[in-house]
Amino acid sequence: MTARSVEPTFVEAFTPKLVTVLREGYHFRDFRADVLAGLTVAIVAVPLSMAIAIASGVTPDRGLYTAIIGGFIVSFLGGSRFQIGGPAGAFIVLIATTVTLHGVEGLLLATMIAGVVQLVVGLLRLGTFIKYIPFPVTIGFTAGISVIIFASQLSELLGLTLAGKEPGELIPKLTAIGAALPTMNAAAVAVSVPTIALIVAIRYFRPYWPAMLMSVGVASVAVWLLGLPVETIGTRFGGIPQTLPAPMLPVISLEKITEVLPAALSFALLGSIESLLSAVVADSMSGQRHRSNCELVAQGIANIVSPFFGGFCVTGTIARTATNVRSGAHGPVAGMLHAVFLLLFMLVAAPLASYIPLAALGAVLAVVAWNMAERHAFAMLLRASRSDAVVLVVTFLLVIFSGLIEGILVGFGIAALLFLHRMAKMVEVENARLPTDEDESDRVNGNGRKAYDVALATDPDVAVHRISGAFFFGAAANVGAALDSIGDHPKAYVIDFSDVSVIDSSGAAAIEGFVHKTHCRRAPVYITGASPAIRRTLLIHGVKPPYVRFRSDLAEGVKAAHSRVAHSRGTHSKLAQSGVARRDAAAEEEEALT
């Protein structure tokens, strides 16, 4: 007997993990662990949130707003114990493009629409389908984003002065950066390179120390003490405020919604993929299981609320979530406290952020891009198989040179086609032989055993074939051609379906076409071993008496076919033959439908 999981009720599927953790019993030692983990994650999130915001073309305070508001809601309502929400590097290109085309107001509106889409997708329980995105697509997508992020930080790392606005596309961007190389600021390089080296060194020798915050702090103090001529958050943005802004609804109009809808759908798709991928990573590290649809609902609500306070796209962040797990978090309270600690940072230490050099934040993102590249997985997939390598490279190149969504959709499409091709090759049509009878006594049920009939195995007028595998649209043409190629036009056909696991409309239509052709030649078709579900699909598509007859197993079908052929040989009366067929058909149809 096969065990089947019980489908959770609506309430069970959308119960936040916070409620689950509290029901299990939440003690002071658990709270202490969550405090330490939340503080650790907040220390990591401070420079990262500002760096992502700046790279996305908005002010650094909006990155903090996103992490505070969005991060709290994701942990409070989410379906993962350890998910940390906030701004993510994967959104940098999309956000920058949206700001360029529609301004900050358009970005806020697109974020709200994306939240509504995620909320609906979650409530409809469609989040589980996102897990079917193939691994090569995920790796190619992530590696492509890492290249884009690193390229976007070259001007900050080198302190370049571009002639105009930095282009969004990679080739024009690199061309503009190459033209601006004579303006390179040696002081910026003297800040960015040591900052990268310090982050790497701290992570190697003291992996549990907050490498990014410490390195940015050292760079800020060095710039202030030495008076280095580099841009800082204060010189470019005037610092960051010490309070959260009052909630304000962005400008909403039908025309504006139409303009930003493509960006909103991109945010929703990318955010859903990123957040559920992050939740899966947390599950693999902790041994827990998240509720994907509940997580999407929380992400949707976070994206609806975040723009009210000036924040932008919220999603689960893999690096901060992994830090949360490694820091010993017990549950969602750690994520909520991470948001509280970020708010305290704004209230207390916001003036210090003015001294942070942009070259140091560029160094932070350069390290993030390097870690995102998944170099080992990329190399492994190139060696794994030709199909995986094709999907990986196509996704990677499209993400870099065309767009994130194009890369995901095309990569997924190619992977699906290659999978269907492999599945179609596994479906076979072969000559079927009757299985050898099991040993039995000479007297069965009080009757003498009948003599073996050699004609059952040697009669050329009966063609016996077996279909095995998943009989779906990818294999329908091959199966139909194989059946049509049966030579010498036998007087009866037996098709064994006992090894067919599933059949779709295309497969049923192929059988219906074949049966129609044999019916025109007055050659009966017997289908054996079909499960109730497969038989139902065939009946719906017209594969039913008088065109076909169903039998429970191959032996019974072969005997019925031979009997029918023998009957046809023994009579030349078409009327008699027609009467037998009608009676047989009526009985078969009643049997099939019941």
Side-chain angles (χ1 to χ4, degrees):
M1 180 180 294
T2 302
R4 294 191 302 175
S5 59
V6 180
E7 184 73 16
T9 64
F10 182 87
V11 174
E12 291 172 340
F14 293 98
T15 299
K17 279 291 184 176
L18 176 63
V19 176
T20 302
V21 170
L22 295 179
R23 285 174 178 171
E24 294 173 352
Y26 193 73
H27 307 288
F28 178 75
R29 65 178 181 274
D30 303 322
F31 177 73
R32 181 175 59 189
D34 284 338
V35 169
L36 294 176
L39 179 60
T40 302
V41 176
I43 290 173
V44 173
V46 167
L48 202 53
S49 299
M50 292 189 292
I52 291 173
I54 294 171
S56 301
V58 296
T59 54
D61 54 321
R62 294 188 182 275
L64 294 175
Y65 301 155
T66 303
I68 293 170
I69 302 299
F72 187 89
I73 293 175
V74 166
S75 296
F76 182 65
L77 299 175
S80 171
R81 281 178 177 260
F82 307 106
Q83 184 83 280
I84 300 296
F91 283 91
I92 287 176
V93 178
L94 286 176
I95 295 173
T97 303
T98 304
V99 172
T100 301
L101 297 176
H102 308 292
V104 174
E105 286 292 324
L107 171 64
L108 301 182
L109 180 58
T111 301
M112 291 184 66
I113 297 174
V116 173
V117 172
Q118 287 180 310
L119 181 61
V120 172
V121 169
L123 291 176
L124 293 177
R125 302 193 184 193
L126 301 177
T128 51
F129 290 99
I130 296 177
K131 67 184 179 183
Y132 295 120
I133 293 179
F135 183 63
V137 174
T138 302
I139 296 300
F141 160 75
T142 307
I145 289 176
S146 68
V147 172
I148 294 173
I149 292 176
F150 182 78
S152 70
Q153 296 307 299
L154 286 175
S155 58
E156 300 292 359
L157 294 171
L158 303 177
L160 303 178
T161 303
L162 301 179
K165 186 175 179 59
E166 185 173 315
E169 297 80 8
L170 182 63
I171 298 301
K173 182 194 296 289
L174 295 178
T175 302
I177 290 174
L181 282 178
T183 67
M184 184 171 59
N185 184 351
V189 176
V191 171
S192 61
V193 174
T195 301
I196 293 174
L198 187 57
I199 292 173
V200 173
I202 293 176
R203 284 186 168 180
Y204 183 80
F205 293 104
R206 293 291 185 269
Y208 292 100
W209 288 11
M212 290 184 177
L213 185 64
M214 292 178 63
S215 301
V216 170
V218 170
S220 302
V221 171
V223 168
W224 176 67
L225 289 176
L226 301 175
L228 298 178
V230 297
E231 274 199 291
T232 64
I233 288 179
T235 59
R236 183 179 293 185
F237 302 104
I240 61 175
Q242 289 184 265
T243 59
L244 284 175
M248 182 179 298
L249 188 67
V251 178
I252 299 178
S253 66
L254 183 59
E255 180 182 1
K256 197 70 175 175
I257 291 175
T258 305
E259 290 178 358
V260 303
L261 185 59
L265 295 177
S266 299
F267 290 155
L269 176 60
L270 183 57
S272 300
I273 295 172
E274 185 81 3
S275 62
L276 295 186
L277 179 61
S278 176
V280 169
V281 171
D283 289 350
S284 65
M285 295 178 65
S286 63
Q288 300 292 327
R289 292 186 62 184
H290 72 282
R291 301 183 181 112
S292 56
N293 293 302
C294 181
E295 185 64 25
L296 282 185
V297 168
Q299 299 284 338
I301 295 175
N303 278 315
I304 293 173
V305 177
S306 177
F308 280 87
F309 296 89
F312 50 89
C313 306
V314 180
T315 188
T317 56
I318 296 176
R320 277 158 276 176
T321 299
T323 301
N324 190 37
V325 177
R326 286 196 296 264
S327 300
H330 179 75
V333 174
M336 297 162 60
L337 290 175
H338 130 270
V340 172
F341 286 128
L342 286 176
L343 178 60
L344 292 176
F345 169 81
M346 284 189 61
L347 297 177
V348 176
L352 298 177
S354 299
Y355 298 97
I356 296 177
L358 299 182
L361 292 181
V364 168
L365 285 182
V367 174
V368 169
W370 178 257
N371 293 331
M372 283 180 62
E374 300 281 1
R375 302 173 304 281
H376 301 296
F378 197 101
M380 178 268 294
L381 287 172
L382 287 177
R383 300 191 303 269
S385 68
R386 184 176 301 176
S387 59
D388 286 342
V390 168
V391 174
L392 174 73
V393 173
V394 169
T395 303
F396 176 72
L397 294 178
L398 283 176
V399 167
I400 292 176
F401 296 109
S402 182
L404 304 180
I405 302 304
E406 291 87 345
I408 293 174
L409 295 180
V410 174
F412 180 81
I414 294 176
L417 289 176
L418 292 173
F419 171 76
L420 293 177
H421 177 67
R422 289 196 297 268
M423 290 295 295
K425 291 171 63 177
M426 295 175 63
V427 180
E428 297 180 350
V429 180
E430 57 185 354
N431 291 327
R433 298 180 180 273
L434 284 175
T436 303
D437 290 339
E438 295 181 0
D439 291 341
E440 295 179 358
S441 64
D442 289 337
R443 301 188 64 82
V444 182
N445 297 327
N447 299 317
R449 179 182 296 279
K450 294 181 180 180
Y452 175 69
D453 187 357
V454 179
L456 292 181
T458 60
D459 192 343
D461 286 336
V462 177
V464 184
H465 283 73
R466 175 183 290 113
I467 301 175
S468 57
F471 192 2
F472 68 111
F473 63 90
N478 293 338
V479 172
L483 292 176
D484 289 337
S485 65
I486 298 174
D488 298 330
H489 294 300
K491 296 179 180 179
Y493 296 83
V494 180
I495 304 177
D496 186 28
F497 269 70
S498 57
D499 288 336
V500 176
S501 57
V502 65
I503 188 171
D504 67 355
S505 295
S506 299
I511 295 297
E512 191 276 334
F514 171 74
V515 168
H516 180 74
K517 294 176 184 176
T518 60
H519 182 73
C520 293
R521 299 199 304 267
R522 298 185 180 277
V525 176
Y526 292 85
I527 292 180
T528 66
S531 67
I534 291 176
R535 182 183 295 196
R536 175 177 173 80
T537 302
L538 292 171
L539 290 172
I540 290 174
H541 286 78
V543 184
K544 58 185 179 181
Y547 303 103
V548 70
R549 292 151 179 85
F550 291 93
R551 292 292 185 267
S552 60
D553 57 46
L554 180 60
E556 185 180 349
V558 171
K559 290 179 181 179
H562 282 290
S563 176
R564 181 62 180 270
V565 170
H567 176 79
S568 298
R569 289 170 181 164
T571 179
H572 299 285
S573 173
K574 294 184 178 180
L575 180 60
Q577 186 179 19
S578 176
V580 172
R582 282 197 298 270
R583 290 193 300 273
D584 193 7
E588 292 295 337
E589 184 168 12
E590 180 179 358
E591 176 191 351
L593 293 176
T594 57

